Every structure is written in C-alpha cells, then in structure tokens.
Amino acid sequence: MALLLAAAAGCGDAGDLVGAGPTPTAISPDRLWPELTPASSPAFEIGEVDSEVVAGVSVPGDDIRTVDPVALVRAEIKQDPSGYSGAGYAETARRMADCGKRGAAGKRCPVLRPYYRDLTGDGHEDLTLGFRQSPGNVTAVRVYTVAKHRLVRVMRWEDAVSGVELAGHSVIIRSPSEVAGYEYRLQWTWDPQQKSMLLTHDEMLRTGSRALGDVPTAAPSPSASSR
C-alpha cells in the first residue's frame, strides 16, 4: 500500500475530483394523448397466468425428480389430441414411441433432458422441461412445481428457440428475429401471489449482448437415459 501511495504522489495526483466531461441534458417524458380514457381491461387474452394441475401424473414423496418427463409430455398430448394429430404436431406424437429405446431409435425421442432448480423459492427443486414439436422448428418449454402434493404446470411457451437459461427465479428464452443481428429475449419470473411464472421482460436485443445466467443442475430422463 505504501508503494502505491508513493507512486500516486509521484504522479502529482492530489486526490481532487476530475470532471467526466459534458453530460447530456435531461429530457422529461412527454405524456401523449392525455384526453384518452385509460383502459380498464385488456383488449386481447394472452394468457399472462398459466397454472394448471397435471392430471394423471403423481409425485411420489413430493419429489419432482421421481416424475417421468416422458410421462408429462404424453399427458399433455393426451389432453390435447387435436394439437398432435393431422396438421398439428403429429410427428411428435409418433416419436414418443421411441422414448426409452436404445441407440438411434432412442435419439428420435422428442423429449429433451430435464433440468432441476428451485425457481419458486420454496426450497424444493422444480422441473424445467423441453420437447420438440414436429414437424417444424418449434420447441416447447414447460416448468412444473409441486403444490399440495400435486404436480402443477406453472409456465408454458412454444417458439423457435435458440437458447434457454435459468437465472435466479427466472426462465430466459432467446429466439431468432427476422431483423438481422437481433434476437428476442423473453423472461418469465416466479410470482408468489399468482403462483405462476409471469412474463416480466420482452425485449429485442443485438446478438452477443446478453449475459449468461447461472448453470442449473441437469439430470437425464428416467425413460430417455439412452439418448
């Protein structure tokens, strides 16, 4: 420390404040169209809160790691058969038969590796699950938690996905944009009042400008461990 002080004194640094140069003039926000009557209800239903008990899937010991991710996807397909037949994601439904198989056949299973992390802040792990929706280039992302001994889905989203991250109590999904050099960045964050993951940020950012979140704990699916 003495050497540092001596060096500073030798450079003629008196410790005075140094100006950072001119600063831009602050501009106050302008309120547009003050004569408009404030809206009291949304014009469109976008599903801000998505919380639903998963029927037919139990949680032994309230341990979410005991839940088979493949069974979760099959339960969703069973609940929405029209969405996974005909012009929908019929290929996803067909490839579910490959889950749990060995070798090349098992790699056709659309269910991705599950990730476990406490997103709700209750001290217990939650499940973040993804699966391919084919045909097409869409990935479904789901988050499940355990509430009152029941499995509850607290977030769902489908999109062309270029990356998914978990950071704190949030799920961050990056998707390509039609604007060159930019990507969409959507963030869902757990809300204890709504008991659901809410869409808290929706941005368009230049690619390469994002900050990576923490790395969550990963584990292979019990029915797809051969992938």
Side-chain angles (χ1 to χ4, degrees), residues 24-167:
T25 302
I27 301 176
S28 62
D30 290 327
R31 182 186 176 190
L32 306 186
W33 308 301
E35 69 277 8
L36 288 178
T37 302
S40 59
S41 61
F44 306 102
E45 174 62 43
I46 60 174
E48 290 94 341
V49 178
D50 189 333
S51 180
E52 182 178 348
V53 175
V54 181
V57 180
S58 60
V59 191
D62 289 349
D63 183 359
I64 204 164
R65 284 183 179 260
T66 65
V67 178
D68 182 0
V70 173
L72 285 175
V73 178
R74 285 175 174 155
E76 180 169 325
I77 293 174
K78 182 179 179 179
Q79 185 180 16
D80 182 23
S82 62
Y84 292 90
S85 62
Y89 301 115
E91 188 176 342
T92 294
R94 288 195 299 269
R95 290 189 177 187
M96 291 301 296
D98 294 322
C99 296
K101 294 182 179 179
R102 297 183 179 276
K107 293 180 180 180
R108 291 195 295 267
C109 175
V111 183
L112 304 176
R113 175 181 296 184
Y115 284 85
Y116 299 94
R117 179 170 176 161
D118 180 10
L119 294 173
T120 61
D122 63 356
H124 300 283
E125 289 181 322
D126 303 300
L127 168 61
T128 303
L129 180 63
F131 61 95
R132 300 290 188 184
Q133 291 188 322
S134 304
N137 186 32
V138 176
T139 300
V141 180
R142 308 285 188 261
V143 175
Y144 301 88
T145 190
V146 178
K148 298 181 180 179
H149 313 295
R150 299 181 299 178
L151 188 68
V152 182
R153 188 190 67 216
V154 293
M155 178 232 164
R156 65 174 294 168
W157 186 252
E158 301 90 22
D159 204 346
V161 172
S162 54
V164 181
E165 301 164 12
L166 303 182

